[in-house]
Amino acid sequence: MRTSFAALAIMTLSLNCGSPPPAQSGRCGDQRLDPGETCDDGNGIDDDACTNACTLAACGDGIVRTDLAVGVSGFEACDDGNELDDDGCLADCSEARCGDGVLRTDISEGEEGYEACDDGNDEPNDECSNSCALQICGDGILQPERGEICDDGNTLDTDACT
């Protein structure tokens, strides 16, 4: 039995008319919270409270939030997507700095930001300076409180300061 195209079209229309459209499977970005989504703000902004993957933004997700000001809960100065504290971005999404008590190991001596030590205190006369340099005999900094009576900045024992 051959059915004409017109007859087929009429049958198809009569079957679909009046019935609700088929249910759409949810998709991220449609402003509806679907299964598997923790948020869906429907915008294309990835660095706000809801990422473009429809997950709530969180420190450690690799996306720096730019919608919050310094001091506001959830603010991120950085977010490198890892939980390591020995690089430029700490696990709490704050930028590493000399004096934070965390020794950076991601940069080499001679590079800006290098830390030979980081004791996390403001005491200038201990083994670690406030610029995160080891304070030792021969560094050119006289530290009488550490027992130095001279420090000429070298390790020569044949000059006036041994």
Side-chain angles (χ1 to χ4, degrees):
M1 169 179 210
R2 289 181 77 167
T3 306
S4 72
F5 177 74
L8 249 169
I10 291 171
M11 286 188 338
T12 303
L13 284 175
S14 66
L15 289 174
N16 287 331
C17 283
S19 62
Q24 301 240 352
S25 62
R27 65 175 175 75
C28 182
D30 62 5
Q31 293 185 314
R32 290 187 311 204
L33 195 59
D34 296 308
E37 297 177 345
T38 56
C39 61
D40 191 334
D41 59 7
N43 66 35
I45 301 169
D46 203 27
D47 54 6
D48 62 359
C50 184
T51 69
N52 289 344
C54 289
T55 58
L56 291 173
C59 177
D61 62 10
I63 302 168
V64 178
R65 285 190 70 175
T66 60
D67 63 331
L68 299 174
V70 176
V72 175
S73 179
F75 171 78
E76 298 176 347
C78 59
D79 191 333
D80 59 6
N82 68 46
E83 294 183 13
L84 302 175
D85 273 337
D86 62 353
D87 59 8
C89 185
L90 302 181
D92 67 0
C93 291
S94 62
E95 291 180 341
R97 62 175 179 72
C98 175
D100 60 13
V102 179
L103 182 65
R104 287 188 68 175
T105 60
D106 64 327
I107 49 182
S108 301
E109 188 172 359
E111 292 182 89
E112 185 176 341
Y114 172 75
E115 298 176 346
C117 58
D118 192 334
D119 58 8
N121 67 40
D122 292 329
E123 173 59 46
N125 298 316
D126 60 5
E127 292 178 6
C128 186
S129 74
N130 289 344
S131 61
C132 293
L134 289 173
Q135 298 196 102
I136 56 172
C137 179
D139 63 6
I141 301 169
L142 181 62
Q143 295 177 296
E145 62 283 338
R146 297 195 66 210
E148 289 184 340
I149 55 172
C150 66
D151 194 327
D152 59 4
N154 66 47
T155 56
L156 296 174
D157 284 339
T158 57
D159 59 5
C161 183
T162 59

